[in-house]
Amino acid sequence: MKNPVKLSFTAFAFISLIPGVGLAEPDRRFGVGENPAAETVYTLSNDPAGNEVLAFHRYGDGQMAPAGRFATGGTGTGSGLGNQGALALSENARYLFAVNAGSNDLSVFRIGRDGLELTDRAAEEGATPVSVAVSRNRVYVVNSGDDSVFGFRFDYRTGKLRSLPQSHQKLSGDGTAPAQISFDRTGDTLVVTEKATNKITTFSLKENGSPEARHSIDSAGSTPFGFAFGKRDQFFVSEAQGGAPNGATVSSYQLLEDGTVQLIDGAVAAGQTAACWLATTPTGRIAFTADTPANAISAFSIDAAGHLSLLHTRAAEENRPTDLAVSTDGRMLYALSGGDHSVGVYRILKGGALQKLRTLDGLPAGVTGLVVR
């Protein structure tokens, strides 16, 4: 196979000279304008001088082209957040939510044909939001600054957020270093991974969306980080194991009706040094994890009962991958790189094998978060 094509984000800078203004039409210099984009990929600059969502169109051959930069109105931190889920889509995929870890607020964008329109920026009671989750009209963030969660009600008609009363709740303790927050598929329970305490904390929600009860269990492996839900209320967690050489693992859990969690399988060796980010295919049959220190991506098969089997581990062509996302059709895997500030595009083959297609580089140094629409 020929070397993957590399395209630079900065090479397209003239396309979006004004922050917050999207492309009027696709860039035709590379022969992509005649063909519609297969999907759009979003990431977050996390810039302390002014946070922005960066959008890219992905075309059928894996080629990516910038589709605009959109100011959140808030600020980032300029450095890694130790997180997964800095961006999230609404269930109807018409709105995008972005954390502003530097200014302690959350931005909302309406997604249109010409790009993103900022509809709201809402402050929250916690400190340093690092991950956001959306279910129906409920939106929650998890805060690393004060070890808490905080919720909003969302109005799909106006694109506005309203604080959810009594939603500001503590995690299992202090110094938890939360990595990610997510709803279960019904929207009745929140799940949070705590890296420093090696716990998984869940919140059962009342009918109005505010937390009713908190539950915590010890993680099967240490340093639980990114996770994703599959089928049948099962979710899968990557475990960095404190960065122990070749010690990284992945575990699967069952979420029960009362909001508690039960271990299914773990901790299963990932063949990596620090598995941090995890993404599953739409079918829920394969999970991918990214290893930053060893520059590797592992694939696991998932059976109907939620048991995990390592399929393979391969070297990533990005330097220090820091997030993963799977395309909406399950055919592509995107790998965000914190080392060389790029996004790599891989084709997902039979059995979870990966074929590198393209690389888009030149992203900001503090870039975080990755979602696909």
Side-chain angles (χ1 to χ4, degrees), residues 89-342:
L89 290 166
S90 62
E91 288 187 342
N92 65 3
R94 294 180 181 176
Y95 288 92
L96 180 70
F97 301 80
V99 299
N100 296 305
S103 52
N104 298 325
D105 49 45
L106 184 68
S107 294
V108 187
F109 293 90
R110 182 179 285 115
I111 302 173
R113 292 186 60 184
D114 295 327
L116 303 180
E117 173 195 359
L118 183 66
T119 61
D120 200 9
R121 177 183 164 214
E124 54 123 348
E125 294 180 19
T128 319
V130 296
S131 182
V132 57
V134 185
S135 180
R136 297 179 301 213
N137 67 337
R138 303 168 180 177
V139 181
Y140 266 84
V141 294
V142 65
N143 301 291
S144 66
D146 68 345
D147 303 285
S148 71
V149 299
F150 184 81
F152 301 88
R153 289 196 185 99
F154 179 63
D155 187 327
Y156 279 81
R157 182 180 57 86
T158 63
K160 301 294 185 181
L161 292 164
R162 185 174 56 178
S163 297
L164 189 61
Q166 300 179 329
S167 65
H168 189 211
Q169 300 287 328
K170 290 287 289 185
L171 296 174
S172 70
D174 295 324
T176 63
Q180 182 181 353
I181 188 170
S182 181
F183 285 94
D184 71 327
R185 293 193 178 276
T186 66
D188 295 327
T189 305
L190 286 168
V191 180
V192 178
T193 45
E194 300 180 4
K195 302 189 301 291
T197 54
N198 301 319
K199 291 185 181 296
I200 296 171
T201 293
T202 61
F203 293 89
S204 304
L205 301 180
K206 299 177 184 178
E207 190 172 337
N208 69 357
S210 63
E212 181 174 33
R214 185 188 69 200
H215 317 274
S216 294
I217 67 165
D218 293 332
S219 171
S222 64
T223 328
F225 202 108
F227 66 97
F229 272 87
K231 306 294 184 180
R232 306 173 187 88
D233 286 326
Q234 300 162 356
F235 64 98
F236 309 91
V237 183
S238 61
E239 297 147 347
Q241 296 284 12
N246 298 316
T249 55
V250 175
S251 297
S252 58
Y253 297 87
Q254 183 74 47
L255 182 64
L256 305 180
E257 288 187 7
D258 63 357
T260 60
V261 172
Q262 189 174 80
L263 178 68
I264 298 174
D265 197 9
V268 180
Q272 299 181 12
T273 295
C276 294
W277 293 269
L278 185 144
T280 55
T281 57
T283 63
R285 300 298 298 274
I286 296 177
F288 296 97
T289 62
D291 173 359
T292 300
N295 302 325
I297 298 174
S298 293
F300 290 82
S301 66
I302 304 168
D303 70 13
H307 295 288
L308 297 157
S309 298
L310 179 63
L311 293 170
H312 55 77
T313 296
R314 65 154 285 166
E317 297 187 33
E318 291 70 47
N319 178 21
R320 300 181 66 80
T322 52
D323 212 339
L324 295 174
V326 175
S327 65
T328 53
D329 61 9
R331 297 179 179 178
M332 298 284 185
L333 178 72
Y334 301 92
L336 182 66
S337 166
D340 52 19
H341 318 310
S342 69

Side-chain angles (χ1 to χ4, degrees), residues 335-353:
L336 182 66
S337 166
D340 52 19
H341 318 310
S342 69
V343 175
V345 185
Y346 295 82
R347 179 174 285 120
I348 301 174
L349 306 176
K350 186 176 180 180

Side-chain angles (χ1 to χ4, degrees), residues 350-368:
K350 186 176 180 180
L354 298 174
Q355 177 190 16
K356 182 65 181 290
L357 297 179
R358 306 272 177 163
T359 297
L360 179 83
D361 54 18
L363 300 180
V367 67
T368 183

